[in-house]
């Protein structure tokens, strides 16, 4: 088997975080693939909740293209609505893990999926929030997922806070009435696993072959990298086989999959 | 058999008549659906009848909103997101409108999906506001109140412990269009699968038009009353239109048409390509039955989630 690509390592690292039997709120895109890989490996009893109210507690025959693709509802034990999913289950703390894609994320874990540049006159208009704001505001065990290692994906400060992280830091979330104990905990990208320490993003463990310098260079700010950042274990053959099978499913289901 | 409840029946309209009777230029309309059950057949008729200056409210924007923007039907949009969720691909018309004011300037106002749901609950209940997702310091809190509502969000002190609470203003759309799997003549709209914000949205709207895959007897409705997400007394009219949500999916009836989402993403990359899409799939087809014919039987068969033909 050829060695794991950084993208495959990202998927596997995310999947390893989800314990068997956990309740996870899964946002659009790669979080869905990660949850599916976790279910096929160590977490067959994972309970996944989507923003439209679908509960998914086993492997669906097809990979859904989005949480509202009703391929996600095949064999579902419960289909409710947004009041249940976003407020009663997510805000209510019934969900233990929350996976949110963060294509542009800053030093404090604020995520922008709305606009690049000035909001009124953006250079690039992105899709907007959907339920992303709720995942970031309410989600317990919030894990951000980014398939990018480009510097522009990690600005010091995002142009628009779609999904609030620690805002400007120094306890601002709590002062503004956010629920205590929520907010981004981890970030998974192709370089490894990052954490928020003192409300600031920094590497926790990197993949073999990734240098501390690579990790530091990700951020558009002087990222703190502690002494002796550990290295993550290599993916097992089984993990890699499952990840590759699911990437194949993603291609079949019209996902745009990174080439490397 | 039910005794006929003549006089209680709701008007059953063709899509053409429904758009003529329910929507005028400049009107406000909430379009239901959540990238499944999007009322495409209705939106296409808006495009055919060249409705202009509409003020559209749509939680999950998607391809449907993109088409209405590209066709120049919308002046003002309240939404949670707009994109082509298969791929995902950008919503090209939406981007052209916001980035380059083409084909025209689009006024946008946005909320997160939870806040949107809470605003509709407030509207449905005639509450002055609803507590909602804490979003102080976030973009939607800063950039707010550009048209549909004088203001969207505020922070108030909880009367019980003094802590700050984010609240959202009520939304009471003038008209709502909702795709349902089946309806009876009384106007009971039945939905299976996830319901997203449908229940609160329908109750928040002043008038409601159902677009049903099929019309059934009230006896059939009574067998599964819990499926009635929109009860008759909220409803003002019914259109029966099979495959009305294509290319999105309808639970238990048909799957999302991924190939068509890809086709639209390709064609809508340029303004000329988008115009060709409108010509081929909306204008030349004449009506939604024409869209179904253009898709062809092999294609509709492959998308069917129901074993038997319901139309």
């Amino acid at each position: 088997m050829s060695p794991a690509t950084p993208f495959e390592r990202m998927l596997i690292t995310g999947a390893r975080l989800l314990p068997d039997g956990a309740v996870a709120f899964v946002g659009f895109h790669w979080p869905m693939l990660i949850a599916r890989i976790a279910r096929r490996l160590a977490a067959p009893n994972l309970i996944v909740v989507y923003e439209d109210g679908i509960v998914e507690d086993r492997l669906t025959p097809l990979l859904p293209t989005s949480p509202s693709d009703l391929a996600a509802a095949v064999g579902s034990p419960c289909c409710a609505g947004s009041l249940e999913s976003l407020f009663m289950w997510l805000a209510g703390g019934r969900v233990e893990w929350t996976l949110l894609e963060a294509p542009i994320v800053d030093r404090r874990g604020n995520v922008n999926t709305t606009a690049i540049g000035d909001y009124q006159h953006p250079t690039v208009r992105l899709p907007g929030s959907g339920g992303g704001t709720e995942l970031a505001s309410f989600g317990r065990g919030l894990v951000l997922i980014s398939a990018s290692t480009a510097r522009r994906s990690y600005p010091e400060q995002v142009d628009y806070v779609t999904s609030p992280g620690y805002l400007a830091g120094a306890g601002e979330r709590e002062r503004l009435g956010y629920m205590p104990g929520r907010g981004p905990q981890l970030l998974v990208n192709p370089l490894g696993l990052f954490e928020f320490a003192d409300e600031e993003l920094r590497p926790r463990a990197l993949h073999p072959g990734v240098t501390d310098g690579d990790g530091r260079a990700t951020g558009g700010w002087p990222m703190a990298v502690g002494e002796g950042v550990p290295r993550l274990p290599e993916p097992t053959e089984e993990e890699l086989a499952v990840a590759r099978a699911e990437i194949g499913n993603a291609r079949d289901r019209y996902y745009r999959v990174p080439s490397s | 058999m039910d005794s006929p409840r003549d006089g209680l029946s709701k008007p059953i309209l063709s899509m053409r008549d429904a758009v003529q009777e329910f929507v005028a230029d400049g009107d406000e309309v909430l379009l239901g659906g959540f990238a499944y059950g999007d009322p495409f057949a209705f939106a296409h008729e808006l495009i055919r009848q060249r409705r202009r200056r509409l003020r559209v409210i749509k939680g999950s924007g998607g391809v449907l909103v993109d088409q209405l923007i590209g066709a120049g039907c919308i002046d003002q949009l309240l939404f949670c997101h707009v994109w082509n969720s298969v791929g995902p691909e950008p919503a090209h018309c939406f981007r052209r409108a916001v980035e380059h004011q083409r084909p025209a300037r689009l006024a946008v106002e946005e909320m997160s999906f939870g806040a949107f749901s809470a605003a509709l609950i407030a509207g449905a209940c005639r509450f002055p506001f609803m507590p909602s997702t804490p979003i102080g310091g976030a973009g939607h809190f800063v950039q707010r109140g550009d048209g549909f509502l004088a203001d969207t969000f505020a922070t108030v002190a909880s009367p019980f412990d003094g802590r700050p609470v984010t609240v959202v203003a009520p939304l009471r759309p003038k008209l709502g269009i909702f795709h349902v799997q089946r309806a009876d003549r009384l106007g009971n709209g039945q939905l299976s699968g996830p319901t997203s914000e449908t229940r609160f949205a329908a109750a928040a709207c002043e008038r409601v038009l159902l677009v049903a895959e099929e019309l059934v007897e009230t006896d059939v409705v009574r067998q599964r009353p819990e499926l009635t997400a929109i009860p008759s007394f909220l409803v003002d009219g019914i259109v029966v239109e099979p495959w009305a949500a294509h290319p999105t999916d309808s639970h238990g009836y048909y799957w999302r048409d991924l190939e068509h989402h890809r086709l639209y993403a390709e064609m809508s990359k340029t303004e000329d390509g988008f115009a060709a899409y409108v010509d081929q799939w909306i204008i030349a087809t004449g009506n939604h039955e024409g869209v179904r014919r253009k898709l062809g039987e092999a294609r509709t068969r492959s998308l069917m989630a129901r074993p038997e033909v319901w139309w």
Side-chain angles (χ1 to χ4, degrees), chain A residues 34-194:
Chain A
I34 286 170
R36 198 171 160 92
I37 291 167
R39 190 186 294 291
R40 288 186 58 178
L41 290 165
N45 302 302
L46 184 69
I47 297 177
V48 167
V49 176
Y50 295 119
E51 62 184 344
D52 51 16
I54 296 173
V55 178
E56 179 200 283
D57 67 350
R58 59 186 190 185
L59 196 69
T60 54
L62 293 172
L63 168 69
T65 50
S66 77
S68 52
D69 182 338
L70 296 173
V74 173
S76 167
C78 172
C79 284
S82 56
L83 181 60
E84 288 89 346
S85 64
L86 291 170
F87 290 111
M88 297 182 194
W89 303 336
L90 187 67
R94 306 303 178 124
V95 165
E96 303 156 288
W97 290 88
T98 306
L99 267 56
L100 173 66
E101 182 137 313
I104 304 173
V105 54
D106 71 18
R107 186 175 190 163
R108 305 284 182 192
N110 303 300
V111 179
N112 178 10
T113 56
T114 300
I116 297 171
D118 175 56
Y119 178 72
Q120 297 295 344
H121 305 94
T123 47
V124 180
R125 174 64 219 209
L126 302 167
S129 162
T133 305
E134 276 71 32
L135 271 69
S137 180
F138 287 138
R140 284 174 60 199
L142 177 61
V143 181
L144 305 177
I145 309 290
S146 173
S148 174
T149 55
R151 176 72 74 95
R152 66 173 183 279
S153 302
Y154 301 89
E156 175 153 20
Q157 205 175 353
V158 290
D159 293 339
Y160 186 100
V161 179
T162 312
S163 299
Y166 295 101
L167 301 169
E172 191 181 6
R173 267 179 84 101
E174 203 143 348
R175 272 200 310 282
L176 290 173
Y178 287 66
M179 288 182 167
R182 315 285 171 106
Q185 306 298 309
L186 298 169
L187 178 140
V188 177
N189 75 10
L191 297 176
L193 182 63
F194 292 67

Side-chain angles (χ1 to χ4, degrees), chain A residues 28-30 51-54 65-71 73-74 79-87 114 118-134 137-138 160-164 167 172-180 251-256, chain B residues 34-36 60 79-83 85-89 94-95 98-99 101 105 108-115 117-118 121 131-141 143 146 155 163-164 166 193-197 200 249-252 254-256 258-259 262 266 269:
Chain A
F28 178 71
H29 208 218
W30 301 132
E51 62 184 344
D52 51 16
I54 296 173
T65 50
S66 77
S68 52
D69 182 338
L70 296 173
V74 173
C79 284
S82 56
L83 181 60
E84 288 89 346
S85 64
L86 291 170
F87 290 111
T114 300
D118 175 56
Y119 178 72
Q120 297 295 344
H121 305 94
T123 47
V124 180
R125 174 64 219 209
L126 302 167
S129 162
T133 305
E134 276 71 32
S137 180
F138 287 138
Y160 186 100
V161 179
T162 312
S163 299
L167 301 169
E172 191 181 6
R173 267 179 84 101
E174 203 143 348
R175 272 200 310 282
L176 290 173
Y178 287 66
M179 288 182 167
R251 282 205 184 87
D252 291 346
R253 300 281 291 162
Y254 292 77
Y255 278 75
R256 290 161 158 269
Chain B
F34 197 72
Y36 59 79
S60 185
F79 68 104
C80 301
H81 60 210
V82 179
W83 60 1
S85 58
V86 177
E89 302 279 350
F94 170 65
R95 281 192 58 178
V98 177
E99 294 169 16
Q101 293 77 51
R105 185 181 175 272
V108 296
E109 184 170 3
E110 50 201 303
M111 287 180 168
S112 60
F113 184 47
S117 299
I121 293 170
S132 182
T133 317
I135 56 157
H140 327 307
F141 195 84
Q143 306 280 351
D146 183 23
T155 304
R163 292 266 300 151
T166 302
T195 54
S196 300
E197 78 281 20
F200 346 123
D249 31 5
S250 178
H251 188 258
Y254 44 91
W255 304 109
R256 183 177 282 187
L258 307 189
E259 214 172 303
R262 171 67 59 86
E266 287 302 318
K269 271 182 186 155

